[in-house]
Every structure is written in C-alpha cells, then in structure tokens.
Amino acid sequence: MEYKDYYKILGVGKDATQDEIKKAYRKLARKYHPDVSKEPDADRRFKEIGEAYEVLKDPEKRAAYDQLGPNWQAGQDFRPPPDWDAGFEFSGGGFTAGDAADYSDFFELLFGRRKGGRYQDPGGYQRAGSYTTFKARGEDHRARILIDLEDSYRGATREIILKKPVVTPEGHVRTEERTIRVRIPRGIKPGQHIRLKGQGSPGIGGGPAGDLLLEVEFNPHRLYRVEGADVYLDLPVAPWEAALGATVKVPTPAGQVDLKIPPGSYQGRKLRLRGRGIPSRKPGDFYVVLQIALPPADTEKAKEVYRKMAEELPFNPREGLGV
Amino acid sequence: MDVKKELLPVVEGIILEEQEGVTLGDLCRMCSVHADYVLDLVEEGILEPLEGRAGMYRFQGDCVIRTRKAVALQRDMGVNLPGVALALQLLDEIETLRERLRRLEDRQEPVLP
C-alpha cells in the first residue's frame, strides 16, 4: 500500500490552517474539475485532490492522519500501525462526499471502515432522492470512447472494458473488470453521450441499477472535419477546373460522389451537399471547400503556359492592396 | 491458433442528447436530485424545458448532463446557483471558441519565408 501525502497533493504545508486548506482545494478543484478542465489528466488529479481534501478538511480525520507521523514519503510502502485510530471519534461514517469508489486503497485502509468494523455503504451518503426506505438507484458510471467518423455514418459495435467497484465481504472496495459490447448509434455526434440503461452500479435494496453514460469523441480524420452534424472536406482543384467549371469525383464518408464545380469558382468557395453530413434525424450537410492547387512550373512546357497567361491575362492579384 | 472468440451480446444504447420528452421525474431519477432542485435550475435559466402542456415539464436529454454538471459544481466548488449559471455559460462559450480555434489551426498552412 502506498503512502499518500495529502498535504503535498494540495500543495500546502503541514501547519496549514483549515482556511488555507480550503483555499488550496478550491483553487485546484477549479483547475482540475472534470466538468471544467481540459487538462489531459484532470479526472485522476481531481479525484486525488478530492481525497486529500476529504481527509484534511475534517479536523478529526486530519488529526488521525497527522499522527501517522511526519516521516512518511509519498509512494512509500505503508502499513498502518495497529490501533492507529484509537481514541479518535469520527462523526458519521468513513465517507462523506465524492465518489467513494474512486478513493485510493490508502484512504480506504484508513477511513474506509466505521469504528467497530462496520462498513459504511458507499452508496449511502449521496442519496438526494426522496427515498424513505433504504432503497436506492445504483450509481451511474461514465466513460469516454473514441470512434471514427465512419462509425457514426454506418453505426458500429465496440467492445468496452469497464471497471466496476465491488464491495468485498471484508468491507473493502475493489475494482472488477468486465467487457461489454456496445452498439454505437448511427448519427451520433462528437460530445454526445450514449446512455446504456441499467449498465451502471446495481441498485441497493431493490432499487434500479444505474446507467452507463459513454461520452463519444471522434478520432481526428485524415480527410474530414466535423462541426456539429456538418462534415467538411478540403478539395484540391486545378485553376482551370475552378475557372471553367468541371465535374470531379469527391470522397464522402458514405462513398464517392460526382460533384459539379460551377464555372467562376474561387479559392475557399464552399459547395454544399445537402443532407450528406452526419445522418441523424436532422442530418447534417457535407461541405466541400475548394482549394486551388497550382500546377508546378517544372517543365519548359509548363513555364511556357504560365508565360502566356502572364502576357495575355490583364490580371493584378494585388488590386485590393492599392498597388 | 485460430480460436473463434465467442461474441458478447450487444448492448443497445440511445443518444442521450437526442432523447426527447424526459419528464421531471426521469430527470430527478437520472441525476439523483429533488424536483425542487430542477425547478430552481429552470428558474435560474440553467435548464430550458421544451414547450409543452402547462404544468407538465418535458426536457431534452442534454438537460441530464447539464443538471449533473450543476450538481457537481455546487458540491465540489461551493458555488451558488447564479454562479453555476455563469460557469456553465462561460464553459459553453469556451467550448465554442476552442472549436473555432481548432478548426482555424487545422487549416493553417505553413507560412513560407
């Protein structure tokens, strides 16, 4: 078991006042809160901060933690001395807030059991519903998955490994892994959630099971950009295709199509293929953005064509600059 | 060795954000909150119910995520409801700007000397 230095995690000294601890926690919480932060490690950091605060904000728990002694280093192998918490009266159970299943084994070892060894049910603290008997809906679980744009066009199935906290007969929380196969609904957009009913924690006392919410993000695509339900493609065209018009082959996530480029097209012109974006109930559009590619002047013949254009076309690209 | 892997049954899900007609009760159950709390969120403009019959709230599925965020922000950061409303509005704005920035950066061509 690794020793956790809760003071270090919050970045405060061991002599910090309760007020300083609260301030440090709030500041870090704002930085790493998973609903606010885009830090890559936010989820883990926030749990760690929450756990440290859980102990240090409570003078009783803090005193108990302090008396483990000042010589422990973070990460050091840790066994609590026998009766380490003798003489401390914890009000309430071990857990008071946050997600008990997320707490480290270290926390679990110190505070995970009530005096007398009775386990405080991890679902028991956060119940805000109007249940009068001891019956509660299981907790929801959240996870993030990455899919490809094509999966959203066609629908797909994915295997997902879930870590589920389970309570052992000794009253500890352990994680168990299980695999489920999930259908990715056709037409899902980045940032949306797939709700899998009843795939979260089992309910308590006959309550219904919680849900599993999968937040969907898309892998970056080599060709396409996604904006909401719309999909964009940069399409290289030759100057004469843009100028004179042409019909060219264009890839889309649903397959190749023929696209008519109107004559007189220009760099950056957007052409819309209605309804060929992400296919949901209100399907998105597919936009082709023209990118004019210049043929290289690397042969005498090519140079000759450019020279001829220079001679015969009265064209000043810098007209707008007044020069 | 070519062992045919036994396939697990496929779990079907729905797109939460596109679920329509989430009732007040559904929303409370899915977010473990009291109805009063949801009504406070509506009052504060954090949630916008769908148009419906008088006295019968119906919500779009994305309200579930919003309600949960509100709960988490209040619990973890000690902000009040106007604070939650402001935080969510700013987060929406940041998200929109990040999207735009990402798109612009994607399209940025290397600058020639």
Side-chain angles (χ1 to χ4, degrees):
Chain A
M1 174 99 23
E2 282 189 0
Y3 178 79
K4 294 227 170 222
D5 189 338
Y6 289 140
Y7 290 99
K8 208 168 161 187
I9 289 169
L10 289 186
V12 294
K14 296 213 193 291
D15 54 353
T17 62
Q18 292 306 111
D19 214 40
E20 286 167 342
I21 286 170
K22 185 173 162 186
K23 263 191 209 154
Y25 165 74
R26 286 275 162 81
K27 201 167 168 187
L28 289 168
R30 285 196 295 272
K31 186 159 180 208
Y32 290 109
H33 197 287
D35 285 326
V36 172
S37 174
K38 285 281 167 191
E39 304 270 340
D41 217 11
D43 226 31
R44 191 187 60 79
R45 286 297 300 271
F46 185 70
K47 282 171 187 163
E48 199 175 61
I49 295 158
E51 179 179 318
Y53 185 56
E54 184 61 32
V55 173
L56 298 185
K57 78 169 180 199
D58 177 349
E60 293 161 352
K61 286 205 194 89
R62 183 179 176 188
Y65 174 74
D66 282 348
Q67 64 101 55
L68 291 171
N71 296 324
W72 294 100
Q73 296 293 315
Q76 196 177 345
D77 189 45
F78 175 79
R79 302 247 174 283
D83 282 335
W84 72 278
D85 58 349
F88 284 96
E89 196 65 45
F90 296 114
S91 36
F95 304 116
T96 55
D99 194 341
D102 291 332
Y103 287 157
S104 68
D105 291 345
F106 175 73
F107 181 97
E108 170 67 17
L109 188 63
L110 294 182
F111 303 107
R113 277 190 271 189
R114 247 187 166 146
K115 297 276 308 162
R118 257 193 44 215
Y119 184 70
Q120 166 88 352
D121 176 73
Y125 55 91
Q126 223 187 2
R127 198 163 306 124
S130 52
Y131 300 96
T132 46
T133 54
F134 192 68
K135 180 175 169 185
R137 181 173 178 271
E139 268 183 72
D140 289 348
H141 290 209
R142 292 174 76 163
R144 220 173 267 232
I145 54 166
L146 277 169
I147 65 167
D148 292 325
L149 175 60
E150 285 83 354
D151 293 340
S152 171
Y153 267 75
R154 289 195 278 267
T157 56
R158 272 293 159 83
E159 285 197 1
I160 298 168
I161 297 167
L162 295 168
K163 294 190 173 88
K164 189 172 73 167
V166 288
V167 181
T168 66
E170 298 83 49
H172 290 283
V173 175
R174 200 164 45 81
T175 38
E176 234 173 38
E177 282 190 357
R178 70 187 170 119
T179 308
I180 59 168
R181 270 179 99 215
V182 174
R183 170 117 45 228
I184 310 290
R186 190 164 168 265
I188 195 156
K189 296 184 270 295
Q192 289 189 325
H193 295 76
I194 304 172
R195 179 183 173 212
L196 300 162
K197 220 174 161 182
Q199 294 290 328
S201 286
I204 298 159
D211 300 336
L212 173 64
L213 288 182
L214 293 176
E215 186 177 348
V216 171
E217 290 300 338
F218 284 15
N219 287 313
H221 200 285
R222 197 172 60 84
L223 300 179
Y224 311 113
R225 294 188 303 279
V226 181
E227 293 177 23
D230 298 334
V231 179
Y232 286 74
L233 167 74
D234 282 338
L235 181 76
V237 291
W240 51 89
E241 289 170 336
L244 307 175
T247 301
V248 300
K249 296 230 178 285
V250 173
T252 80
Q256 207 168 272
V257 296
D258 286 322
L259 175 76
K260 214 169 167 178
I261 297 169
S265 288
Y266 41 86
Q267 165 66 27
R269 182 169 196 179
K270 273 188 212 165
L271 304 172
R272 182 169 66 175
L273 296 172
R274 196 187 288 274
R276 286 183 186 261
I278 291 181
S280 52
R281 213 172 334 142
K282 282 177 238 149
D285 297 329
F286 187 84
Y287 287 94
V288 172
V289 186
L290 300 185
Q291 304 291 334
I292 295 178
L294 291 181
D298 53 0
T299 62
E300 198 40 51
K301 198 166 178 188
K303 283 181 187 146
E304 189 47 46
V305 175
Y306 275 117
R307 277 190 213 107
K308 201 159 178 212
M309 277 168 72
E311 278 162 25
E312 296 192 10
L313 299 178
F315 176 58
N316 177 11
R318 290 168 294 280
E319 208 172 66
L321 304 180
V323 289
Chain B
M1 202 168 61
D2 191 18
V3 178
K4 201 175 173 193
K5 203 172 143 197
E6 202 176 309
L7 287 179
L8 294 158
V10 176
V11 183
E12 299 280 347
I14 51 157
I15 303 175
L16 179 63
E17 281 79 358
E18 292 183 2
Q19 192 179 351
E20 266 174 10
V22 176
T23 65
L24 185 58
D26 291 340
L27 190 58
C28 291
R29 270 188 296 279
M30 283 159 79
C31 303
S32 300
V33 295
H34 281 297
D36 282 352
Y37 185 74
V38 173
L39 299 182
D40 287 347
L41 294 182
V42 172
E43 190 131 311
E44 199 61 52
I46 295 171
L47 297 184
E48 281 179 27
L50 299 167
E51 298 281 324
R53 279 180 293 159
M56 291 278 283
Y57 275 139
R58 288 282 187 280
F59 298 90
Q60 185 80 27
D62 56 356
C63 287
V64 176
I65 303 293
R66 242 174 139 66
T67 304
R68 284 165 180 239
K69 277 190 185 174
V71 172
L73 289 174
Q74 285 205 283
R75 183 191 61 212
D76 301 328
M77 314 256 225
V79 285
N80 58 14
L81 275 192
V84 169
L86 178 64
L88 290 178
Q89 183 193 319
L90 293 176
L91 285 171
D92 287 346
E93 272 177 45
I94 290 173
E95 195 43 50
T96 311
L97 292 174
R98 272 206 186 104
E99 266 298 298
R100 283 187 63 181
L101 185 64
R102 201 177 49 77
R103 288 202 302 264
L104 290 171
E105 279 173 353
D106 274 359
R107 306 197 49 187
Q108 197 85 190
E109 293 290 320
V111 178
L112 296 174

